[in-house]
Amino acid sequence: MPSNGSLFDRAKALFLHYAEPLQLNKRYPDLQLAERLTSPDKSITMRLSLQMDDGRVEVYDAFRVQFNDDLGPYKGGLRFHPQVTFDEVKALALWMCVKTAVVNIPFGGAKGGVTVDYKRLSITEKERLTKKFAIMMANDIGPDTDIPAPDVNTGPREMAWMSHAWRMARGKYERAMVTGKPVEHGGSLGRVEATGYGCVVTLLEAARDNGIDPAGATCAVQGFGNAGQYAALELSRHGGRLIAVSDSRAAIANSSGLDVEALMRHKEKTGCVADFPGSKPIDPMEVLTANCDFLVPAALEDAITKEIAPQVRAKIIAEAANGPTTRAAMDILFNKGVIVVPDVLANAGGVTVSYFEWVQNRQEYFWTHQEVIERLTKRLMDAYRRIRDRAREERVSLRQAAYEGAIERIAMAAAERGAQ
Ligand code: GLU
């Protein structure tokens, strides 16, 4: 179990720790940047009551945290999950600020969440819930203020509902008010696979640097939602062998490799990876400790703890999830020589294509799939190389190098904006 405070307290402490060498107070005297950059600009907490199909009413907590907009409008996903808390949304919003700065896109950071067991709802209840959230938030979100996107348990379907509800509330068409939409509604080609694909781009760069050939490499993926599925698929395209995988309900393995496309179809049909033909059930923990070259944690926060870290056998970890590794585990992995491509870089492909979608929406001019993928690949490779060079020079982890570059950028923008 992770110790030492709430998720947000720990996220803030880590940010401040990485900011230390930058000496913000010395560089920008009197601006209180450390405090300004680690407390949210605006937090919205709402009570969302939903009428169920049988007439009963259920009441949920709903949040949107607009963390920082020094580099541009607030940007970040919307999560529907029974374990969502205000504290978690705050931490995720802080990480979005770092992430957008890491890949150098003109956005700040935000996050939204509803504490609901979304998978249990009927399709009509899901639509009502999503649209109600969008209407309650209608004056706080928009293309120039705060742009939501998919996150855990939300996808193109939810974004189309958001867009439609916002249009009804505000009385105008604004495609760029949300990203991750279906293509028919102004979504970008390549957005659905962007997080998983981008994760593999950065993972392969790290593999190249460390002399590991992806062809024939063994991989384990923890979490088989959007990010995990497309990361596994992209790894298999490079010749990687998926030997262990889990989702929220089960975990399976096959040492000669699982057919990723068939597994995606199985998951789509049954809702779970369990009972996939040719696989054997394993303990979910065994995915994180699998004897493999690449490990992709693609589920929720705090998956790799200090108890698990010593048992990790992967050579490279690429964090497709947000915050999957606790701070104590980070130190253990660093000392063991495990390369960790941090979340703020490894899963930034999603928000990068969200940015491309926003640009295309504002121009009403759409790019081909190839154009999207080429631009995404270049941006992530550039970010990876910049971070790797800094990490080598300063002899620090990729995470520390990523944070330092991002904090420098946000701090400069905040200082230039002035003290008020
Ligand atoms: N929810 C995703 C993330 O954590 C995507 C955010 C976005 O596209 O704005 O990065």
Side-chain angles (χ1 to χ4, degrees):
M1 267 280 107
S3 49
N4 306 327
S6 74
L7 189 67
F8 177 70
D9 289 343
R10 290 184 279 131
K12 176 175 169 173
L14 192 68
F15 183 102
L16 291 173
H17 172 68
Y18 291 145
E20 250 165 50
L22 305 176
Q23 303 199 343
L24 295 180
N25 287 342
K26 213 160 148 195
R27 228 191 270 192
Y28 306 107
D30 304 327
L31 286 181
Q32 305 290 354
L33 282 191
E35 179 54 28
R36 270 168 63 186
L37 304 187
T38 54
S39 51
D41 288 346
K42 185 172 176 182
S43 302
I44 303 163
T45 64
M46 297 172 288
R47 190 206 62 236
L48 197 161
S49 56
L50 178 73
Q51 185 158 42
M52 313 305 280
D53 293 342
D54 63 8
R56 275 179 315 113
V57 169
E58 288 193 0
V59 180
Y60 311 116
D61 291 325
F63 315 100
R64 184 79 183 167
V65 174
Q66 300 176 329
F67 209 93
N68 181 285
D69 69 348
D70 286 319
L71 287 170
Y74 302 107
K75 183 84 191 85
L78 173 62
R79 172 175 295 204
F80 293 160
H81 193 274
Q83 258 116 50
V84 162
T85 60
F86 175 53
D87 177 78
E88 181 196 33
V89 175
K90 252 195 321 181
L92 290 161
L94 170 59
W95 291 332
M96 282 309 302
C97 298
V98 179
K99 200 185 300 186
T100 53
V102 161
V103 280
N104 204 3
I105 57 180
F107 289 133
K111 201 76 164 202
V114 180
T115 316
V116 56
D117 192 356
Y118 192 64
K119 287 186 185 163
R120 195 182 51 81
L121 303 187
S122 72
I123 184 79
T124 47
E125 289 163 350
K126 284 178 172 152
E127 180 179 340
R128 278 200 298 280
L129 172 83
T130 308
K131 289 189 167 173
K132 184 144 190 196
F133 181 87
I135 288 170
M136 289 168 80
M137 289 288 308
N139 289 320
D140 293 289
I141 57 178
D144 300 306
T145 45
D146 179 3
I147 307 125
D151 197 77
V152 174
N153 289 332
T154 58
R157 177 182 67 184
E158 281 72 20
M159 299 307 116
W161 288 339
M162 296 272 295
S163 161
H164 183 241
W166 192 87
R167 191 153 78 239
M168 287 193 290
R170 298 278 291 255
K172 60 174 177 175
Y173 218 121
E174 279 280 11
R175 293 188 210 278
M177 59 71 53
V178 65
T179 58
K181 301 177 292 292
V183 172
E184 299 69 35
H185 289 269
S188 176
L189 294 168
R191 176 63 184 86
V192 169
E193 65 269 35
T195 308
Y197 172 86
C199 176
V200 175
V201 169
T202 61
L203 173 51
L204 295 185
E205 284 293 294
R208 197 167 301 135
D209 279 345
N210 291 280
I212 304 171
D213 186 357
T218 47
C219 320
V221 175
Q222 180 243 4
F224 207 58
N226 172 276
Q229 291 186 23
Y230 285 102
L233 185 65
E234 192 56 24
L235 280 169
S236 71
R237 287 188 179 142
H238 288 270
R241 192 151 41 97
L242 181 67
I243 57 157
V245 65
S246 63
D247 62 18
S248 58
R249 293 196 233 159
I252 57 168
N254 180 341
S255 56
S256 37
L258 298 152
D259 177 340
V260 178
E261 280 183 50
L263 183 59
M264 284 168 79
R265 286 194 296 274
H266 176 83
K267 168 97 185 175
E268 171 81 34
K269 209 164 79 193
T270 67
C272 185
V273 297
D275 302 322
F276 180 62
S279 71
K280 66 166 195 244
I282 56 168
D283 186 293
M285 231 28 118
E286 290 177 50
V287 176
L288 296 172
T289 58
N291 189 6
C292 59
D293 297 302
F294 306 146
L295 170 63
V296 178
L300 298 174
E301 302 87 59
D302 295 335
I304 305 176
T305 58
K306 66 176 188 297
E307 288 76 25
I308 292 167
Q311 303 172 54
V312 166
R313 286 184 283 174
K315 299 188 183 86
I316 302 181
I317 298 177
E319 296 179 334
N322 290 306
T325 312
T326 68
R327 185 159 166 188
M330 287 171 197
D331 294 340
I332 295 170
L333 294 170
F334 186 71
N335 292 331
K336 263 174 68 152
V338 178
I339 310 295
V340 181
V341 187
D343 50 3
V344 289
L345 170 65
N347 72 32
V351 74
T352 301
V353 178
S354 275
Y355 164 54
F356 295 162
E357 180 172 329
W358 183 80
V359 169
Q360 293 170 77
N361 288 163
R362 309 205 100 185
Q363 298 179 341
E364 294 288 356
Y365 181 77
F366 290 86
W367 309 348
T368 62
H369 187 262
Q370 193 185 344
E371 281 170 322
V372 172
I373 295 299
E374 276 172 12
R375 289 178 204 219
L376 170 64
T377 309
K378 177 163 186 340
R379 200 170 271 265
L380 290 176
M381 281 187 172
D382 287 351
Y384 172 85
R385 289 175 189 162
R386 206 169 49 235
I387 289 165
R388 178 212 46 205
D389 291 348
R390 185 172 194 147
R392 278 187 184 157
E393 204 173 301
E394 297 180 9
R395 295 174 173 277
V396 296
S397 66
L398 291 171
R399 192 183 320 268
Q400 174 152 358
Y403 267 76
E404 285 181 8
I407 297 169
E408 265 169 0
R409 195 168 290 145
I410 306 168
M412 188 179 290
E416 285 165 348
R417 198 192 71 175
Q420 302 311 312

